Amino acid sequence: MNDDGPRYSYPVTSTDSSGVLVRAEIDVAALQANAAVLAKRLAPARLKCVVKANAYGHGIDIVAPALFAAGWRDFCVATINEALHLRELLGDDVTITAWLYGPTTDLDAAVAAGIELGVSTVDSLERLRDAARRTNTTARLHLKVDTGLGRNGLAPADWKRALVKLKTLDARTESDGADASATTPELEIVGIMSHYAVADEPERVETAQQTQVFDSAHRELSAVLDGAQGRLGEPERLEVHIANSPAALTLSPFPGTSARVGLSLYGLSPLGDQTSQDLGLVPAMRLVSQVINLKDIPTGHGASYGLTFTAAADTRFALVPGGYGDGIARSASNKAEVSIRGTRYPVVGRIAMDQMIVEVGAGDVAIGDEVVIFGPDGPSAAEWGEWAETINYEIVTRISERVDRVEIEPRPADGAGL
Ligand SMILES: *Cc1c(COP(=O)(O)O)cnc(C)c1O
């Protein structure tokens, strides 16, 4: 799969790449190495690869096949549309879990495609049962319990109601004369899941409290499944998952039988006090542009809209394609840095929709030079997060459709030759 050249995650209208100014190079070998590092850390719990939001901006059409090629078979996304796309991309030999849908979302296609779905409302249990009936398949479900995040998931009262509803649905199955061993069950509870709120702050007590709530919900669900004697799934086969990247990297003992890992798969650190390198991870995205104009600037000259920067001395400006139309944060204006020929230079003035100005002064810079906006050999996505007053998650995920994602060959570890 690696020898059919660069692949793009979005349709390209021109085959002439000379017009491409900003590229996100995706280091597939880094992705695969990160997955191996994380899986080793998690074992015996299993790695679920989170590839929602276009694989955190990296391009799902590059990322998912690369992980598949390295042997990974367990994927998570948020929405059903993402899940169906992934099913088409990877085929039937993978487990795909999705958890975000609304009261009018058509669930039939997802159930028919064997997508495993998170259940966060009592009503969706019946809707999923109906979808299973219509499509003549089993709906495979992960009950999602809100253990304190307050976002999605069944809150405590709804959790109790969901368990009662499950028993009701099972009683109907029983009275229909269905025999678990002879007919296809409509619902199979394959997992229980939750999500941490502060796992990136290891000193906080809420994480252990959430684990406790989760453990007790797990016991209650197991009792209900035991009572249904296999008609709703096997309690000892339940997949138990609450951990995200920060939890996977910090918690010991590790809670659950698997972890849903996103950010750190892409080689980024979810922890404020540890870098990618500290964690043995390699950033998989390198966002690059080029110098397309270079000009001498006299003292007192301004830069970009609002003239919020004024040259304090005679200097040179390099014009670099890349702006908020590419998903580069305007809020990093006058704070960000980029790297050219291994040297850091400041972004001066406001970042515009398509372009930014970099003050290169007397630096060794020529038209056509590559500009590393962020990546392993330039500023990190975490630094951009600080400059833009956000987090590295958002820095990579917001990279827009105009930027071409290109799969690259592994680069030398020391960055030589760049
Ligand atoms: C996005 C998401 C994850 C992955 O989180 P990371 O911190 O990127 O590892 C896991 N679970 C749920 C429910 C999510 O929404």
Side-chain angles (χ1 to χ4, degrees), residues 218-273:
H218 179 198
R219 283 191 296 274
E220 289 167 5
L221 177 60
S222 294
V224 170
L225 296 187
D226 271 332
Q229 297 181 328
R231 289 182 300 273
L232 291 172
E234 303 293 338
E236 56 287 348
R237 294 233 305 265
L238 262 190
E239 185 177 358
V240 180
H241 48 116
I242 182 172
N244 50 3
S245 287
L249 292 166
T250 56
L251 294 189
S252 171
F254 178 81
T257 62
S258 62
R260 304 179 306 270
V261 177
L263 188 78
S264 46
L265 198 54
Y266 305 97
L268 303 181
S269 170
L271 307 170
D273 58 350

Side-chain angles (χ1 to χ4, degrees), residues 263-330:
L263 188 78
S264 46
L265 198 54
Y266 305 97
L268 303 181
S269 170
L271 307 170
D273 58 350
Q274 289 187 69
T275 64
S276 301
Q277 210 173 7
D278 295 339
L279 297 167
L281 304 171
V282 182
M285 185 192 290
R286 183 169 178 264
L287 188 70
V288 293
S289 183
Q290 56 196 272
V291 175
I292 64 163
N293 202 345
L294 201 54
K295 54 183 74 167
D296 292 320
I297 294 292
T299 306
H301 199 295
S304 194
Y305 295 125
L307 302 174
T308 58
F309 172 89
T310 308
D314 289 357
T315 187
R316 279 189 315 162
F317 283 173
L319 183 66
V320 176
Y324 59 83
D326 303 287
I328 296 166
R330 181 175 177 275

Side-chain angles (χ1 to χ4, degrees), residues 50 52 56 76 78 99 144 151 193-195 242-246 260-266 270 393:
V50 181
K52 63 189 180 183
Y56 289 48
C76 296
W99 47 72
K144 184 163 187 184
R151 202 175 68 176
M193 64 188 285
S194 189
H195 198 37
I242 182 172
N244 50 3
S245 287
R260 304 179 306 270
V261 177
L263 188 78
S264 46
L265 198 54
Y266 305 97
Y393 286 79

